[in-house]
Amino acid sequence: MSTRRFDLIAFDWDGTLFDSTAIITQSIQAAVRDVGGREPSREQASYVIGMGLMQALAHAAPDVPPEKYPELGARYRHHYASRADELNLFEGVLPLLADLKARQHWLAVATGKSRRGLDDCLRSVPLQGVFDDSRTADETAGKPHPLMLQELMAVWGVPPERTLMIGDTTHDLLMAQNAGCPSVGVAYGAHHHAGFEAHGPLFVAHTVRELHDWLLANG
């Protein structure tokens, strides 16, 4: 019988595995400027990371009228794509994932990215075959709605108490809370960890190394 505590471990992507917070934030700011909206502050722009794209942009640019949302989304995608070659996994993520796979955890991604955007990332050679499943905001409900996790748990037959959600935003942790799943917060991404406590994470990791060590000891 397995002695591990979690059968299914779901990761957020941007800001948790992928070092993209600054570029997403700056792309949101540039997109809002492009359509004539009031540029959000860095804190306002980074707060929406993890939400579905249009939900995030609408929240970050409340003065932009809905009829401009398609243009706003297109400008965001333009700015993000223009800097795609600057994006990388955080150092230490590949060894972390390899150790979890070796321990026979099922690994999933639950992200606010689009399916196309996530698939582009997962085509990277080091990530081939690493993740067993994934859900994106454009194919199910966006965070903090629990549907992403509920769908993953249903597919793999894992109950909430044996499913762990790991993320860098309050949206991730609230999604886990709404799904009845335990969570771990990471403090090196989009949101300041001071906001995590309300959602009861088991642990807050300040580095990938801390996350790795905690999962090996407690996963």
Side-chain angles (χ1 to χ4, degrees):
M1 180 180 294
S2 170
T3 59
R4 66 182 182 273
R5 182 173 179 181
F6 303 112
D7 295 306
L8 174 63
I9 300 178
F11 291 89
D12 174 56
W13 186 259
D14 289 305
T16 300
L17 299 176
F18 209 49
D19 188 3
S20 50
T21 298
I23 289 175
I24 293 175
T25 298
Q26 291 160 15
S27 297
I28 290 171
Q29 291 174 314
V32 175
R33 288 197 307 269
D34 288 351
V35 301
R38 184 177 64 252
E39 181 180 328
S41 67
R42 183 184 62 79
E43 291 76 14
Q44 290 168 331
S46 64
Y47 173 78
V48 304
I49 295 175
M51 298 178 178
L53 177 59
M54 296 318 300
Q55 176 191 9
L57 293 175
H59 193 283
D63 61 325
V64 173
E67 59 267 25
K68 283 195 170 186
Y69 286 176
E71 181 186 0
L72 182 61
R75 294 310 299 165
Y76 168 79
R77 286 187 285 267
H78 165 77
H79 289 292
Y80 183 86
S82 71
R83 301 182 63 183
D85 60 352
E86 301 175 40
L87 299 168
N88 292 287
L89 293 168
F90 284 107
E91 184 177 356
V93 162
L94 290 177
L96 163 63
L97 296 174
D99 278 353
L100 295 177
K101 288 292 284 185
R103 288 164 51 131
Q104 300 183 352
H105 296 281
W106 288 314
L107 302 183
V109 175
T111 177
K113 294 182 81 65
S114 68
R115 169 52 59 189
R116 178 179 177 181
L118 179 62
D119 284 350
D120 285 346
C121 294
L122 294 180
R123 289 189 188 100
S124 167
V125 172
L127 294 173
Q128 292 293 326
V130 171
F131 293 101
D132 300 290
D133 210 339
S134 59
R135 288 295 184 278
T136 62
D138 62 340
E139 62 188 9
T140 185
K143 301 171 186 178
H145 195 285
L147 188 58
M148 283 189 197
L149 289 177
Q150 290 169 339
E151 290 180 352
L152 290 167
M153 289 187 289
V155 167
W156 296 96
V158 180
E161 66 271 16
R162 295 185 70 87
T163 301
L164 180 68
M165 178 67 204
I166 301 173
D168 68 306
T169 72
T170 55
H171 314 309
D172 299 312
L173 305 188
L174 181 55
M175 176 177 66
Q177 195 172 24
N178 289 339
C181 298
S183 66
V184 165
V186 301
Y188 50 79
H191 286 190
H192 193 277
H193 62 87
F196 292 174
E197 184 177 354
H199 307 297
L202 299 177
F203 180 67
V204 175
H206 292 264
T207 64
V208 174
R209 182 71 255 175
E210 284 188 9
L211 177 62
H212 194 159
D213 291 345
W214 188 90
L215 286 170
L216 291 185
N218 299 276

